[in-house]
Amino acid sequence: MEILILVITALLIKNILLLQYLGNCPFLGVSKRMDTAVGMGLAVVFVMTLATAITWLVQKYALDPLGIGYLQTLAFILVIASLVQFVEMFLRKAMPALYQALGIFLPLITTNCAVFGVAVLAIRNEYNFVESVIFAIASSAGFALALVLMAGIRERLEAADVPAPLRGTAIGLITAGLMALAFLGFLGVDNSLKALTQS
Amino acid sequence: MSYMRDFTRGLWDELPPFRMVLGLCPVLAVTKSAEGGLGMGLCVIFVLTLSNIIVSALRRVIPRKVRIASFIVIIATFVVIVELVTQAYFYSIYTTLGLFIPLIVVNCIILGRAEAFASRNGVFRSTLDGLGVGLGFTLSLTVLGSIREILGNGTWFDMPLMWSSFEPFTFMVEAPGAFVCLGLMLGAMNAISGTRAS
């Protein structure tokens, strides 16, 4: 039940994109078409889960025992950058089909602050290894969900009559704001779930 | 004259985050209050200017193939410095900005300036570019933070500003308000430059 609450919190109540403000550059950049949004979403799920697992191990077995926790930022960004590079090379050799689908999104992920943010949040929230991995999967699924929903809306917006100064990114941001408002509706679901388990 | 251009370009023509729609996450997250916006802006000026100086000084030494990784290490070094200094001397800013101080590392504006400007120009011009873009970013964030704080909380830099019966518009300090407010500001910028051009 605690795991379920963790998943629902990361996926909906604290959606990283809409309510934690992480990963907005790709959110606005690649949400214009449905197929690229799906590709980016999958690439993020893949990389974020791996990155969080590895950075958790780095933190617990390298930074903490050596007492160099202040190097966390530097260490994590290096791990993520090299991981992305490695995943790219591995996919190109081993799974060309998947590489075709995700390839162009992988370099972009290095500077996706959501990947870095979730890795740091997993440490700050003091999750254990399993919780961290579940947290990463749920967060990235929340990212993919918001991205795909946004792409669906933006494809419709193409045909809409938007005032000239608001065209493009501006209307994208306002749309995101309205989506975030809808996601605020999930506030408190975790408390009701907790109450349900206790009764 | 061209030195002046390097500095002023960041203040209107390439004003981040409006003209270069990059690095939006900190923009949205820390502008709940004017103080948060100003604090984040100052951190970014520091990191951006110093990383521009170092990148530009080392531009002939760094091999092209590993340049992005090298830039990130340089940027991360300054971010760690900011993290430690704010934690030691400006603790209230450190807690307001929270997670978003380490996240300056992945702020695309800084990497973007290193790649697009500092790696191609001399140290002095890169310094001016860093200061200009950083100052533009700070101003944008402070204005956005002020609008959100005044409307959402009725205060400005924690000083009560509105009349006593003013009902705070809580929407503005929540996440949806951040998106909508930034979107409207972007629209206003486009409208202004649209009328200027015609």
Side-chain angles (χ1 to χ4, degrees):
Chain A
M1 200 61 189
E2 266 170 30
I3 295 293
L4 181 66
I5 292 174
L6 179 69
V7 169
I8 289 182
T9 307
L11 184 67
L12 299 172
I13 304 170
K14 289 192 173 175
N15 186 289
I16 44 168
L17 245 177
L18 295 169
L19 301 171
Q20 302 279 305
Y21 320 94
L22 290 171
N24 278 295
C25 302
F27 180 50
L28 293 165
V30 301
S31 63
K32 284 183 189 135
R33 285 177 50 205
M34 188 56 96
D35 49 349
T36 50
V38 172
M40 183 69 179
L42 289 176
V44 167
V45 172
F46 189 60
V47 172
M48 193 184 282
T49 310
L50 264 179
T52 308
I54 295 175
T55 51
W56 192 91
L57 294 172
V58 168
Q59 177 80 22
K60 295 295 166 195
Y61 294 105
L63 299 181
D64 283 352
L66 294 171
I68 48 171
Y70 58 88
L71 285 181
Q72 190 195 51
T73 306
L74 199 57
F76 279 21
I77 194 74
L78 286 177
V79 168
I80 293 170
S82 38
L83 177 74
V84 171
Q85 197 89 57
F86 180 76
V87 167
E88 197 183 348
M89 289 189 314
F90 175 78
L91 282 186
R92 188 156 35 184
K93 281 263 187 284
M95 298 174 217
L98 193 61
Y99 179 76
Q100 281 290 317
L102 303 184
I104 50 163
F105 302 110
L106 288 171
L108 282 174
I109 291 178
T110 315
T111 51
N112 182 340
C113 50
V115 175
F116 184 75
V118 166
V120 176
L121 275 177
I123 303 292
R124 289 203 176 181
N125 293 346
E126 294 176 352
Y127 290 142
N128 63 34
F129 185 72
V130 177
E131 283 172 342
S132 296
V133 171
I134 291 172
F135 175 65
I137 294 174
S139 297
S140 51
F143 178 91
L145 176 71
L147 190 63
V148 169
L149 286 176
M150 180 73 169
I153 298 176
R154 281 187 94 169
E155 283 190 343
R156 296 290 177 91
L157 269 181
E158 289 288 303
D161 183 22
V162 179
L166 289 179
R167 270 181 209 146
T169 316
I171 195 72
L173 279 165
I174 294 172
T175 313
L178 297 177
M179 278 175 69
L181 198 60
F183 270 73
L184 273 185
F186 291 111
L187 267 182
V189 172
D190 53 340
N191 286 334
S192 349
L193 273 176
K194 256 179 226 159
L196 211 67
T197 45
Q198 274 156 9
S199 62
Chain B
M1 198 56 214
S2 78
Y3 289 137
M4 205 55 210
R5 281 280 311 136
D6 287 333
F7 181 67
T8 53
R9 188 175 36 222
L11 297 178
W12 181 262
D13 293 342
E14 292 186 15
L15 179 69
F18 297 108
R19 293 307 164 86
M20 302 188 274
V21 187
L22 290 173
L24 285 182
C25 309
V27 174
L28 295 163
V30 303
T31 51
K32 253 182 211 165
S33 63
E35 190 199 10
L38 183 63
M40 177 49 108
L42 294 178
C43 295
V44 167
I45 291 186
F46 176 83
V47 175
L48 182 58
T49 310
L50 289 175
S51 72
N52 257 6
I53 292 174
I54 301 291
V55 165
S56 138
L58 294 177
R59 69 186 186 282
R60 291 186 223 286
V61 185
I62 298 173
R64 269 205 85 64
K65 276 194 173 164
V66 294
R67 67 184 193 286
I68 300 289
S70 319
F71 295 165
I72 288 182
V73 173
I74 293 170
I75 295 167
T77 312
F78 290 113
V79 171
V80 173
I81 295 175
V82 168
E83 217 179 331
L84 295 175
V85 168
T86 48
Q87 196 172 7
Y89 299 107
F90 306 99
Y91 195 69
S92 77
I93 290 190
Y94 179 77
T95 46
T96 315
L97 299 182
L99 178 64
F100 288 89
I101 294 183
L103 278 173
I104 297 175
V105 175
V106 278
N107 188 325
C108 339
I109 291 177
I110 298 177
L111 191 63
R113 290 329 284 172
E115 165 73 9
F117 198 91
S119 63
R120 291 179 194 154
N121 291 288
V123 174
F124 184 63
R125 291 188 61 193
S126 302
T127 314
L128 289 177
D129 178 74
L131 284 172
V133 172
L135 196 62
F137 187 72
T138 309
L139 287 176
S140 313
L141 255 68
T142 314
V143 170
L144 183 60
S146 303
I147 297 176
R148 288 183 62 195
E149 191 184 344
I150 292 170
L151 291 177
N153 208 16
T155 57
W156 191 56
F157 285 102
D158 288 333
M159 292 179 296
L161 201 70
M162 304 301 257
W163 55 97
S164 56
S165 62
F166 175 74
E167 192 65 46
F169 188 28
T170 319
F171 171 74
M172 291 307 281
V173 287
E174 297 281 351
F179 286 107
V180 172
C181 192
L182 187 64
L184 292 177
M185 277 175 79
L186 192 64
M189 286 273 299
N190 289 343
I192 294 170
S193 15
T195 31
R196 267 188 156 192
S198 64

